[in-house]
Amino acid sequence: MFTPFFYTLKSNGLDISTTEWLTLMEALDKGLAHSNFTDFYYLCKTVLVKSEADYDKLDSAFLEYFKNIKTDKLNMEKLNKWLHNDSDRVRLTNPEDFVDKRTEREAKEVHRMFRERLGEQHTEHNGGNHWIGTGGGSAFGKNGHVAGGIQLGNEAGMKTAFAVMGERRYRDFRRDTKLTMRQFQVAFRELRQYSRKMDLPKTELDIDGTISSTCNQGGYLKLEFQQPRKNSVKLMLIFDSGGSMYPYSELCNQLFQAVNKANHFKDVKTFYIHNCIYAKLYKTPECAPGEWIDTTYAFNNYDKDYKVIVVGDAGMAPEEYYDKNGNYSGPNNGLSGHEWIQLFKKKYPHTIWLNPSFHGDLTKNYWMESERAIKEIIDMYPLTVNGLKAGIKKLMSDK
């Protein structure tokens, strides 16, 4: 009965050997799936998946093959009524008070507790730490602050949910996405502004001149040469590192490698930040104290002609962005992140922001306030093929 499922897995890109498939069949024969669909899913993930890059392939295969499976359906109409409130009615002044310190849970136990709560609960709850609700410390609900819970709705409030129902969470881990190093390299070819070195010998083939001279000589080849041109573009890359950017580390690494392999820029500077630009620009992805330069040093030593690309999800609480004491990872020299962003854009007018979790609608969600504010200062684009092309085009414009 599982033969069609095998071909579904293969058609979704999973490289499964005969040995791995026979191992899965043996595990099923020994009852390791416990006649439970969720356990079967995790058994398949354990036996058949070799890398986190293949998680999404497995998920898409399951969605395709088991789309009509009969399960105990949740009363989502009732749950949606409980979880409808997206306003600021429930906001925790200190989310640490509600954080569940148990960062690892068995999937079976989590789902058992969820079913138990659902059977006992009859009313809406907000801000608590037990029932299915919103904005609190419960392991079940929406926009909460618990690692290892079950998220209901479109997205996890703190991006730590154990399971987000109906969402393919590992899509960005795939290595076969359209946005590859090749796409980065092609896009960066547009970051070219050539100038000639008049003091260099004519060693570069002049194609147009060669064609013209050859035609003038009745077809006899005459090679013409010109002085070589050099790319005059100076580029500054700033990566948001750590925290919610971990899922995009492979993507950022490809971008970094593409720039370094291009090796035709006049100058390239690479720095790292955590969440936002503040008083320091870090030299390494670890953002370790002391391994930095002053942002004002960059202002004074790297002129305004630098093209700047900031890569980050702009995901931070509004108080971290707006408050002068909001920087949790380093000094801010008395200025808020909002003020530093303004100063940075003033110094480097040719700056864009590439966002791997770009949101089109930023009108309601509390946690998107910083993204909305940054977008008003710096042109922000999704970290996709089209977003990258649009961003590069903006960098090369005179406006």
Side-chain angles (χ1 to χ4, degrees):
M1 65 174 288
F2 282 105
T3 303
F5 180 50
F6 171 80
Y7 288 109
T8 301
L9 291 167
K10 296 283 284 185
S11 67
N12 278 276
L14 275 173
D15 183 16
I16 304 171
S17 67
T18 303
T19 301
E20 290 166 341
W21 185 252
L22 291 177
T23 300
L24 177 63
M25 294 300 102
E26 182 181 357
L28 290 173
D29 186 60
K30 292 183 177 181
L32 298 185
H34 310 109
S35 299
N36 181 282
F37 183 76
T38 300
D39 289 351
F40 172 65
Y41 168 79
Y42 285 106
L43 181 63
C44 289
K45 179 177 284 189
T46 301
V47 176
L48 303 179
V49 176
K50 306 176 184 67
S51 164
E52 69 277 1
D54 291 332
Y55 285 161
D56 187 66
K57 298 175 186 177
L58 180 71
D59 288 352
S60 60
F62 262 77
L63 286 171
E64 178 182 340
Y65 188 80
F66 295 106
K67 59 185 176 182
N68 295 321
I69 191 171
K70 293 183 178 180
T71 59
D72 294 330
K73 293 186 178 295
L74 301 177
N75 187 344
M76 289 306 297
E77 183 177 354
K78 177 176 71 174
L79 289 173
N80 284 332
K81 288 181 180 179
W82 292 348
L83 305 174
H84 71 284
N85 189 356
D86 284 329
S87 69
D88 289 340
R89 183 178 62 173
V90 180
R91 296 296 171 202
L92 304 180
T93 55
N94 185 10
E96 292 289 331
D97 295 340
F98 289 89
V99 172
D100 190 331
K101 302 302 181 182
R102 295 171 293 176
T103 58
E104 296 183 1
R105 298 175 188 262
E106 291 293 335
K108 192 173 182 179
E109 177 64 13
V110 170
H111 284 83
R112 183 196 66 76
M113 292 170 60
F114 175 70
R115 294 285 180 179
E116 186 178 280
R117 293 286 195 284
L118 191 62
E120 296 172 352
Q121 184 171 338
H122 301 290
T123 59
E124 175 183 334
H125 288 268
N126 300 286
N129 57 10
H130 180 78
W131 298 110
I132 300 170
T134 63
S138 170
F140 318 103
K142 186 176 182 181
N143 296 334
H145 305 272
V146 175
I150 291 181
Q151 161 73 15
L152 298 170
N154 293 330
E155 61 182 79
M158 296 294 286
K159 302 183 181 178
T160 54
F162 179 79
V164 181
M165 294 186 173
E167 181 182 25
R168 287 166 56 190
R169 301 176 63 208
Y170 300 100
R171 184 176 287 133
D172 291 305
F173 283 90
R174 294 183 70 134
R175 296 195 181 103
D176 60 348
T177 54
K178 292 182 179 179
L179 190 54
T180 62
M181 187 183 295
R182 173 65 177 167
Q183 294 286 359
F184 283 128
Q185 290 174 325
V186 170
F188 282 127
R189 287 179 183 173
E190 301 300 321
L191 267 179
R192 292 179 292 191
Q193 287 179 331
Y194 287 120
S195 62
R196 288 200 189 284
K197 298 274 189 174
M198 300 305 295
D199 56 339
L200 293 178
K202 295 182 178 181
T203 58
E204 183 180 274
L205 179 65
D206 182 357
I207 296 178
D208 292 336
T210 296
I211 294 173
S212 179
S213 295
T214 300
C215 291
N216 291 335
Q217 295 194 146
Y220 288 97
L221 179 65
K222 185 175 192 298
L223 297 177
E224 299 287 352
F225 293 89
Q226 61 188 0
Q227 287 141 339
R229 298 186 302 166
K230 297 294 184 181
N231 191 352
S232 61
V233 168
K234 294 177 287 186
L235 180 65
M236 186 184 299
L237 280 176
I238 300 177
F239 291 96
D240 181 1
S241 179
S244 57
M245 282 296 293
Y246 279 126
Y248 310 108
S249 57
E250 178 68 21
L251 200 58
C252 292
N253 182 57
Q254 289 183 0
L255 191 153
F256 177 82
Q257 294 295 332
V259 170
N260 282 272
K261 287 185 177 182
N263 65 39
H264 58 253
F265 296 106
K266 183 177 181 180
D267 187 33
V268 176
K269 303 294 183 186
T270 303
F271 299 107
Y272 302 87
I273 58 174
H274 183 61
N275 289 345
C276 187
I277 296 172
Y278 291 104
K280 305 292 184 181
L281 298 175
Y282 294 87
K283 299 178 181 179
T284 63
E286 292 76 19
C287 295
E291 294 294 319
W292 56 36
I293 67 166
D294 292 334
T295 304
T296 52
Y297 175 89
F299 290 169
N300 294 329
N301 290 274
Y302 309 136
D303 60 53
K304 66 178 183 178
D305 293 331
Y306 273 84
K307 313 289 187 182
V308 182
I309 300 177
V310 184
V311 183
D313 62 2
M316 71 197 92
E319 54 268 25
E320 180 181 353
Y321 178 72
Y322 284 112
D323 196 293
K324 67 178 182 179
N325 298 312
N327 182 16
Y328 307 138
S329 59
N332 57 14
N333 289 10
L335 299 177
S336 67
H338 181 67
E339 291 171 311
W340 277 113
I341 289 290
Q342 290 176 314
L343 288 174
F344 196 91
K345 181 58 188 298
K346 183 177 180 180
K347 172 64 181 182
Y348 302 107
H350 296 286
T351 298
I352 64 168
W353 190 296
L354 298 178
N355 190 334
S357 62
F358 183 86
H359 298 91
D361 183 9
L362 299 172
T363 57
K364 295 182 180 180
N365 198 306
Y366 170 78
W367 293 102
M368 296 179 187
E369 170 61 29
S370 57
E371 182 178 344
R372 178 169 57 249
I374 292 173
K375 192 175 180 181
E376 291 175 353
I377 301 172
I378 298 177
D379 292 297
M380 186 178 292
Y381 303 88
L383 189 51
T384 62
V385 174
N386 292 334
L388 182 61
K389 289 181 178 178
I392 295 296
K393 183 177 181 180
K394 178 64 179 180
L395 275 183
M396 300 306 293
S397 68
D398 293 331
K399 295 181 180 180

